[in-house]
Amino acid sequence: MQKPFQKHWIAPVFLLVAMIVDGVISQVFAQWLLHPNYTAVPELTLLMLVMLTILLPDENWMVAIAAITGLVFDSFYTGILGINALLMPLVVYVVQQLTPYIFRSALFIGIMDIITLTLFSSADFVMNSFWAIQMSALRPLLPST
């Protein structure tokens, strides 16, 4: 008989550390990660969210924690509030629904991470493209400086 998980503070602490390390890696290795031809993004925060969701399936507040993490991530790194705040809880909810069907081994968690990163990056690209289209349509209405 396993004891229930009691350390509920671990998930936000791990996510905060992952978010800080994500930004540090982006800044320190920017000369190798950011090029005109390609851009590499270290998405450690999303990987940590997926792993915590799979490894802590009984955590009731993971969607709320993901929303807060997405909002903090948006405010510090992207500058467009709402995209990660919407996508991260959506990813956590989908992973929570798929968790009963996933084996808890490193191989299956890695496969789930790759699938999640692909879908998240695609949705992020679509939402950012939509935002750019909307801003270009509103540009004539905005006062010029």
Side-chain angles (χ1 to χ4, degrees), residues 4 10-11 15 18 30-31 40-41 54-55 69 73-74 95 119 121 124 128 134:
I10 287 181
L15 286 171
Q31 63 184 357
V41 181
I54 292 172
L55 297 175
T69 302
F73 193 88
D74 279 339
V95 170
L119 294 175
S121 297
D124 190 33
N128 281 318
Q134 293 300 317

Side-chain angles (χ1 to χ4, degrees), residues 6-29:
Q6 297 293 323
K7 298 178 182 175
H8 300 286
W9 55 270
I10 287 181
V13 169
F14 277 150
L15 286 171
L16 180 66
V17 169
M19 194 175 351
I20 292 170
V21 171
D22 203 356
V24 168
I25 288 173
S26 294
Q27 288 295 316
V28 170
F29 298 112

